[in-house]
Amino acid sequence: MNSELKCPRCGTENVRDLDLVRAEGSSHIHIESESTPTGLAIFSGAPLWAQDRRISSHGTIQSELARSLGPPAPPRWGMIAFAVFLLYMLSIFLNHVAPHLASARMLAVARPLTGLLVLVAAWLLARRYRDRREQWEDAVRRWDRSFLCNRCGMVFEFEFPGPAGDEPR
């Protein structure tokens, strides 16, 4: 281990990479089970179940420490998808319902304004997602450089010095 890698709080070299801590506290499980039911005689005496049953399950079990020290979650598309759905519903309203409710002059103004609104909303949503994506990428880079002190429990960032002229990891 690098002799410069020490906990800034207590000074111990007994530290571990967060990815390693997370991997040590996670277990991936896969369970399969097969059974041959005996069945119940109904009317003709045939079994209630005609086939063998096969049950399969899989998942991940994590310790509380591994769960709390996991990498940052990526940004989600939920808000963007909801906004796109609302804009789609607005366009349906303007094209199919509004002609029966409003005058032609009002629709001549409303449709271009709605188109402009859709473009501005799409631009704002894309910008917001890009900003969140950049924040997430920065958080993942910081997480990749973070370590856990096994003595005092402090989580800290450490950048390994590279060869002369190179950027740190």
Side-chain angles (χ1 to χ4, degrees):
M1 183 170 284
N2 189 337
S3 63
E4 297 175 14
L5 182 57
K6 295 180 181 177
C7 174
R9 183 185 295 161
C10 67
T12 185
E13 292 183 1
N14 189 6
V15 296
R16 292 185 294 166
D17 186 51
L18 291 187
D19 197 29
L20 178 63
V21 173
R22 185 170 171 262
E24 289 173 348
S26 302
S27 297
H28 301 285
I29 59 169
H30 183 80
I31 300 170
E32 289 188 17
S33 174
E34 290 187 26
S35 65
T36 305
T38 57
L40 301 172
I42 297 179
F43 303 114
S44 66
L48 179 63
W49 302 285
Q51 298 180 355
D52 291 344
R53 299 285 183 205
R54 184 176 184 161
I55 299 170
S56 178
S57 181
H58 58 87
T60 302
I61 299 173
Q62 285 188 322
S63 68
E64 287 297 321
L65 180 63
R67 187 176 298 122
S68 68
L69 296 177
R76 295 188 214 153
W77 281 90
M79 179 67 147
I80 293 175
F82 181 69
V84 167
F85 173 74
L86 287 179
L87 293 172
Y88 177 71
M89 296 306 291
L90 179 64
S91 69
I92 287 176
F93 175 78
L94 283 174
N95 288 318
H96 298 291
V97 178
H100 302 291
L101 301 176
S103 67
R105 191 177 344 166
M106 184 183 230
L107 287 175
V109 172
R111 284 184 177 155
L113 285 178
T114 304
L116 181 63
L117 175 69
V118 167
L119 290 175
V120 169
W123 179 75
L124 289 173
L125 289 169
R127 187 172 159 193
R128 177 180 171 151
Y129 183 78
R130 186 195 70 214
D131 292 345
R132 284 189 171 186
R133 183 80 182 183
E134 289 172 358
Q135 291 170 355
W136 173 73
E137 289 171 353
D138 186 48
V140 168
R141 280 191 290 275
R142 285 194 319 272
W143 183 81
D144 282 338
R145 297 187 307 253
S146 295
F147 292 83
L148 171 71
C149 176
N150 289 327
R151 178 190 276 173
C152 69
M154 180 181 181
V155 175
F156 62 96
E157 286 183 50
F158 181 82
E159 292 192 25
F160 289 99
D166 285 352
E167 287 187 23
R169 169 174 98 125

